[in-house]
Amino acid sequence: MSERLRILVTGFGPFPGAPYNPTQPLVARLTRLRRPALSDVELSSHIFPVTYNAVDRELPLALRKHRPHALLMFGLASRTPYLRIETRARNAVTMLWPDAAQTHARKGSIADGADAQRFGPHTAKLLRAAKNTGLDARASRDAGSYLCNYLSWRAIESVRGDNGPRVAAFIHIPPLARSGAARRKGSPRISLEELVDAGEAMLLEMVRLARRAS
């Protein structure tokens, strides 16, 4: 491709029950990477407030500003101890839990009468890349019914549009060990360094996927 490849990496801010969201430092670390494979890649980032209105407002703005060829999104799954590579977005919104603005969804679906939307077969390659770093990573068919699933839905819609990214992926990360040190023996939680290694592997795979799709 003649133009510079552009990758947008996103995370979320804090939300009820999670005053610290580790996707923020992860996104910051990934977009500061300097690797030969990224020498001709423009990395940009965006952190979404955990509200439905913010996703609807800021995703189109971020896509217009950065014009990414690929969109790599991260969210926190506070009750999952492993990395989850989401394969689809469900047509579901929880009406039980409010977003960070204390707004409750008014209905339990995103689009009337629509089926789940799939990211595509490339998620298997991201899964392989993450597993090759030694982390426990698994494919997931259920992105939940909160903001991570909602952003996934809107992102897949953008891929299917005329001027959106060619490929998108959503990764749920587990809670991290509190310190920045390496994981202690027997600890169920991964460190930020381990997560950055897996994130880098998936980012490099997204670069390869975007090149093929462009």
Side-chain angles (χ1 to χ4, degrees):
M1 56 186 299
S2 58
E3 62 179 330
R4 190 175 174 87
L5 190 73
R6 297 180 296 275
I7 311 291
L8 176 59
V9 186
T10 77
F12 278 107
F15 58 93
Y20 168 75
N21 195 324
T23 63
Q24 291 184 270
L26 171 62
V27 168
R29 289 282 298 274
L30 291 179
T31 51
R32 290 199 302 264
L33 286 173
R34 297 295 180 265
R35 300 288 186 272
L38 298 173
S39 61
D40 61 342
V41 176
E42 181 180 324
L43 295 174
S44 56
S45 66
H46 187 83
I47 300 299
F48 290 98
V50 185
T51 72
Y52 299 104
N53 285 338
V55 169
D56 284 336
R57 180 180 66 254
E58 296 182 13
L59 178 60
L61 291 174
L63 294 179
R64 283 199 296 270
K65 176 181 178 180
H66 300 293
R67 297 181 296 111
H69 298 96
L71 179 58
L72 179 59
M73 303 166 286
F74 292 94
L76 174 65
S78 57
R79 297 182 180 180
T80 304
Y82 50 84
L83 213 64
R84 280 170 34 197
I85 286 72
E86 300 300 340
T87 60
R88 64 178 195 158
R90 301 168 59 229
N91 186 18
V93 181
T94 180
M95 299 177 69
L96 296 176
W97 308 108
D99 63 17
Q102 296 301 310
T103 300
H104 284 268
R106 295 184 178 181
K107 63 178 183 177
S109 61
I110 302 172
D112 293 338
D115 294 327
Q117 298 190 100
R118 296 187 176 277
F119 279 105
H122 62 276
T123 55
K125 295 182 179 180
L126 296 177
L127 175 61
R128 190 179 309 116
K131 289 174 72 70
N132 284 344
T133 68
L135 282 191
D136 185 0
R138 309 178 193 181
S140 168
R141 298 184 70 253
D142 188 349
S145 56
Y146 199 46
L147 267 296
C148 292
N149 181 74
Y150 189 75
L151 176 59
S152 295
W153 184 279
R154 296 304 186 203
I156 294 172
E157 285 182 334
S158 74
V159 170
R160 294 177 175 176
D162 293 333
N163 299 310
R166 299 280 64 82
V167 62
F170 194 98
I171 315 299
H172 263 122
I173 68 170
L176 301 184
R178 284 293 181 183
S179 72
R183 184 186 351 186
R184 294 179 181 178
K185 185 176 181 180
S187 172
R189 292 193 173 188
I190 68 174
S191 69
L192 178 60
E193 295 304 319
E194 290 173 305
L195 184 60
V196 170
D197 287 344
E200 178 181 345
M202 290 185 286
L203 175 60
L204 293 174
E205 185 60 44
M206 286 294 282
V207 168
R208 288 187 283 269
L209 291 164
R211 291 193 195 284
R212 296 190 193 107
S214 299

